[in-house]
Amino acid sequence: MKIIDTLQETSAALLANKARSGLTMLGIVIGIASVIAMVSIGQGAQRSIQERIQSIGSNLILVMPGFQRGLGFQVSQGRGSARTLTQQDADAIAGLSEGVAAVAPELSGRYQVTAKGTNTNTSVVGVVPAYPDVRNVQIDLGSFVTQQNMLSLSKVAVLGPTARDDLFGTDTNPVGQTIRIRGIEFKVIGVTKAKGGTGFGSQDDMIFIPLSTAQKFLAGDAFVTTISVQAQNQNAMAGLQQEITDLLLARHRISDPQLADFSVVNQNDIVATASSIAQTFTILLASVAAISLIVGGIGIMNMMLTTVTERTREIGLRKAIGATKRDIAMQFLVEAVLLTGIGGVFGILVGVGVSVAIAAFGVLQTAVSLPSIILAVAVSAGIGIAFGFYPAQRAADLNPIEALRYE
Amino acid sequence: MIEISDITKTYVDGPLRFQALRGVSFSIDDGEFVAIMGPSGSGKSTLMHILGCLDTPTSGAYALDGRDVSELDDDELARIRCEKIGFVFQAFNLLPRATVMRNVALPLVYADVPAEEREARARKALKAAGLDEAHYAHLSNQLSGGQIQRVAIARALVNDPSLILADEPTGNLDTKTGEVVLGTFQKLNQEQGRTIVLITHESDVAEHARRIIHVRDGRVIEDSKSHTRRIIHHENN
């Protein structure tokens, strides 16, 4: 029996029972569609997390104060809370080697900020002129903090777009106006460009002032909260991270690295960690979807078993007029594979449609990947074979005499 | 062309053994029209299954067209059925939602006959079976009982088999329609020289054949010419 004849026989059988074929196919459509949609959501999330992390700068190593545990004490004051890093540490890192492209120490804190009747609580960061290059910040209006501002302890401020919106109203130009941070008057000299990101820790809801001014008037001491170090290139990062650690251990006179009162974080590590979280999330979503695919496959098997029973006499007749076991097995196997194959194609269309819709509604930038489509096609064909095999075998093994007598 | 000698068939179901055939021998020549007649339980169905290569005998030899088919496996039997035997069943067994054409052409699919030859052969068979051309495109469940059985006869003819086996072909038909169907068999036997074996329990039906083999309790008890042969005269088919 030729394959074209098998296809003709099976499509006639499927069309004879349109509603049942359609509903059974729906199980596969939903299964495949959800696998594709879920994987695209997961991968979209992964990509957007990576982009978010990349947006804080490139080739970054962040040095943050840790806490020092005394011998025998297990009490921690919380990572990042300690005052252990100084301007001098930053200068020492800057003089380390040619691997360092730029160093930007900063001192951040949350303060109440007011301007002409408006009032907001936001993050105020003391920065150096190198900060925009290191942390990928761009100026929209006016100018950024200069070396001159640093030296003269100028009370000038550069606003993030969200902070500007909160204090002066959306899309206004506040350059030249004044704001009060903790009651101290600052002159606005610039506004930065929006970087995206919302909610707590947004990089747009910030006010930048000269580091020296922040130390003198707001914090009252000479410590810094973060030192951002930009490496010359990606390859230099790991080595530089180790050099910085060694340097600071020496400067802080700590012999045991376990007791370091600071931590050095490599941006690549953050990206890797966040990606692995997103990946776990993707696997979780995909496995939930895979379960629905298996349920769809069981639906196929159920329908095929019913079909074989219903068509017992037909099978008996086909055998009587010369069909071999293989002919019969192929007929029913192709029927199952055809169901899952067509279901798979529709599933891909629906899945891609759903992920495009999610992206279009701005919920999340989804990413449909070719491997997930290929996988879906392979899985649906595989399900057809796996769940169609047993019913087909059952049909092929029917005794023609008994099958012909079957009522 | 059919030669069976000392065929036995024993069904074993756990501890139970049932001997359906206890040594049956006869031969049927090309062009014969034979009825195998016997009451239910006589073993005639078992005999028909063996003659039709749907089953193999427990012992004994069966030569069909000079070939011993008593010990073939399932696929070889399927091949023989495909090439040499045409079946007509009591229950017709047509594909319900398929056209007359498709039903008749179905054996050609399994015989690997090229698609373009199938329609011509199906038409020829339908013509020989006496079905009006107006019905060729109809679905098989739109036809009357007599028409359905003619489609089944055409299906049995389409592969040009050596032997046509009809198992109670009139059992589901009224007497008048049954006569027409039996007339078709007579015509095929007379005009085309087809070898036909008719299995029935009714002597009225058996008398349409030229020769009647009486079977009872798994044995042949009488094998003779039909004494009072009934001939159907065809006016228009």
Side-chain angles (χ1 to χ4, degrees):
Chain A
M1 192 177 186
K2 294 183 186 69
I3 188 70
I4 178 88
D5 291 319
T6 312
L7 280 172
Q8 215 159 9
E9 294 294 324
T10 47
S11 50
L14 289 178
L15 287 174
N17 249 320
K18 288 191 195 72
R20 186 160 72 184
S21 308
L23 286 172
T24 310
M25 224 183 274
L26 195 60
I28 295 295
V29 172
I30 292 170
I32 293 284
S34 48
V35 167
I36 288 181
M38 292 303 169
V39 170
S40 82
I41 288 170
Q43 288 184 337
Q46 191 172 343
R47 190 176 296 180
S48 90
I49 288 169
Q50 282 171 359
E51 276 167 9
R52 196 69 64 79
I53 293 167
Q54 297 296 352
S55 78
I56 63 169
S58 51
N59 301 336
L60 264 189
I61 294 170
L62 299 177
V63 184
M64 286 176 282
F67 49 89
Q68 195 169 18
R69 263 195 288 244
L71 284 172
F73 288 92
Q74 294 297 318
V75 182
S76 152
Q77 289 186 319
R79 210 166 269 272
S81 62
R83 298 171 171 212
T84 53
L85 294 176
T86 62
Q87 176 78 48
Q88 286 71 37
D89 287 332
D91 293 341
I93 292 169
L96 206 55
S97 71
E98 64 258 38
V100 180
V103 177
E106 64 182 75
L107 169 61
S108 60
R110 290 191 79 83
Y111 299 101
Q112 203 67 28
V113 182
T114 57
K116 282 197 191 141
T118 54
N119 196 325
T120 183
N121 185 289
T122 189
S123 169
V124 177
V125 191
V127 295
V128 296
Y131 186 87
D133 293 335
V134 176
R135 295 299 291 263
N136 211 7
V137 172
Q138 283 167 314
I139 281 293
D140 189 19
L141 300 165
S143 60
F144 202 73
V145 174
T146 62
Q147 193 61 34
Q148 187 57 41
N149 296 145
M150 284 286 290
L151 292 173
S152 58
L153 298 180
S154 310
K155 294 189 193 102
V156 293
V158 176
L159 305 183
T162 309
R164 184 265 317 266
D165 293 349
D166 291 347
L167 291 168
F168 294 100
T170 312
D171 292 335
T172 51
N173 184 355
V175 174
Q177 313 249 36
T178 54
I179 58 172
R180 282 174 175 273
I181 303 173
R182 247 177 86 187
I184 304 165
E185 216 166 79
F186 283 76
K187 187 176 165 214
V188 176
I189 58 165
V191 179
T192 63
K193 271 189 183 154
K195 290 175 81 171
T198 50
F200 186 76
S202 160
Q203 295 188 61
D204 293 338
D205 189 12
M206 280 184 174
I207 293 174
F208 305 101
I209 60 173
L211 177 63
S212 51
T213 314
Q215 285 173 333
K216 178 97 177 155
F217 297 105
L218 297 181
D221 54 37
F223 294 105
V224 297
T225 49
T226 306
I227 302 174
S228 307
V229 182
Q230 187 170 34
Q232 288 283 15
N233 55 54
Q234 190 133 19
N235 301 331
M237 287 178 77
L240 191 56
Q241 184 180 7
Q242 189 55 50
E243 279 183 63
I244 293 168
T245 309
D246 293 343
L247 175 78
L248 292 182
L249 284 174
R251 283 180 60 85
H252 294 191
R253 296 192 181 80
I254 297 165
S255 54
D256 183 0
Q258 295 293 320
L259 295 174
D261 58 356
F262 59 89
S263 56
V264 182
V265 184
N266 185 326
Q267 190 183 17
N268 287 350
D269 296 344
I270 305 174
V271 173
T273 308
S275 295
S276 87
I277 292 168
Q279 214 148 24
T280 310
F281 179 63
T282 307
I283 291 168
L284 173 77
L285 286 176
S287 28
V288 171
I291 290 169
S292 76
L293 197 53
I294 290 171
V295 173
I298 293 169
I300 296 268
M301 181 135 132
N302 192 12
M303 171 183 162
M304 291 312 298
L305 284 174
T306 313
T307 303
V308 168
T309 309
E310 263 182 8
R311 286 159 62 189
T312 300
R313 284 175 72 112
E314 181 197 318
I315 294 163
L317 170 86
R318 285 177 186 274
K319 287 195 149 191
I321 62 173
T324 57
K325 276 187 174 194
R326 196 176 157 274
D327 290 334
I328 301 290
M330 276 303 280
Q331 184 184 341
F332 286 93
L333 198 57
V334 168
E335 208 168 306
V337 172
L338 215 57
L339 273 178
T340 52
I342 296 170
V345 169
F346 280 111
I348 289 169
L349 293 179
V350 173
V352 171
V354 166
S355 71
V356 166
I358 288 172
F361 286 119
V363 182
L364 189 73
Q365 276 307 314
T366 53
V368 178
S369 65
L370 192 64
S372 75
I373 290 179
I374 293 171
L375 188 75
V377 172
V379 165
S380 65
I383 280 180
I385 293 170
F387 289 93
F389 190 80
Y390 171 64
Q393 208 53 48
R394 219 156 103 155
D397 286 342
L398 283 173
N399 178 328
I401 298 167
E402 280 160 27
L404 278 166
R405 280 207 205 113
Y406 184 84
E407 293 297 330
Chain B
M1 62 146 276
I2 289 180
E3 212 167 321
I4 62 173
S5 52
D6 210 19
I7 289 238
T8 65
K9 180 74 184 177
T10 308
Y11 294 105
V12 180
D13 183 13
L16 299 172
R17 294 169 70 83
F18 173 70
Q19 200 167 17
L21 294 176
R22 304 156 186 264
V24 175
S25 306
F26 56 76
S27 62
I28 297 171
D29 291 328
D30 272 336
E32 274 201 87
F33 186 178
V34 182
I36 294 177
M37 205 186 102
S40 60
S42 60
K44 65 178 191 305
S45 288
T46 308
L47 191 54
M48 177 247 165
H49 293 147
I50 289 172
L51 287 177
C53 292
L54 288 165
D55 208 349
T56 49
T58 310
S59 72
Y62 173 19
L64 176 62
D65 274 350
R67 183 172 177 198
D68 184 9
V69 294
S70 53
E71 278 171 9
L72 298 182
D73 68 21
D74 285 354
D75 282 353
E76 289 167 321
L77 286 176
R79 199 82 233 137
I80 297 279
R81 291 198 294 269
C82 188
E83 287 167 0
K84 296 191 184 295
I85 296 163
F87 287 95
V88 179
F89 299 102
Q90 176 176 3
F92 321 127
N93 287 320
L94 298 190
L95 300 184
R97 279 171 294 258
T99 61
V100 165
M101 257 309 174
R102 218 182 121 224
N103 265 295
V104 175
L106 193 61
L108 301 174
V109 169
Y110 293 111
D112 284 331
V113 172
E116 52 280 5
E117 277 176 42
R118 290 180 199 157
E119 183 165 335
R121 286 180 66 170
R123 276 179 183 278
K124 203 174 136 212
L126 279 162
K127 210 167 162 221
L131 188 76
D132 199 64
E133 199 160 341
H135 301 303
Y136 290 6
H138 284 178
L139 297 183
S140 58
N141 44 6
Q142 295 170 330
L143 302 177
S144 71
Q147 289 167 332
I148 288 176
Q149 200 56 301
R150 282 166 188 235
V151 175
I153 293 170
R155 184 180 62 195
L157 285 172
V158 78
N159 263 352
D160 204 14
S162 320
L163 168 67
I164 292 176
L165 265 181
D167 183 13
E168 302 274 10
T170 59
N172 281 9
L173 302 174
D174 59 63
T175 317
K176 195 158 165 267
T177 321
E179 295 274 284
V180 176
V181 167
L182 289 168
T184 307
F185 282 120
Q186 286 183 339
K187 191 162 162 267
L188 287 170
N189 174 247
Q190 249 162 17
E191 293 175 8
Q192 300 192 354
R194 298 275 176 196
T195 315
I196 297 167
V197 174
L198 182 68
I199 287 97
T200 183
H201 67 278
E202 289 175 272
S203 54
D204 296 9
V205 174
E207 278 164 4
H208 290 80
R210 289 172 193 273
R211 173 182 164 196
I212 302 176
I213 299 174
H214 291 265
V215 185
R216 191 173 282 252
D217 298 329
R219 288 195 179 84
V220 175
I221 53 165
E222 196 190 334
D223 182 350
S224 61
K225 279 218 149 77
S226 178
H227 306 298
T228 53
R229 186 162 191 238
R230 298 185 180 205
I231 306 286
I232 311 292
H233 296 282
H234 312 278
E235 291 88 36
N236 58 345
N237 67 39

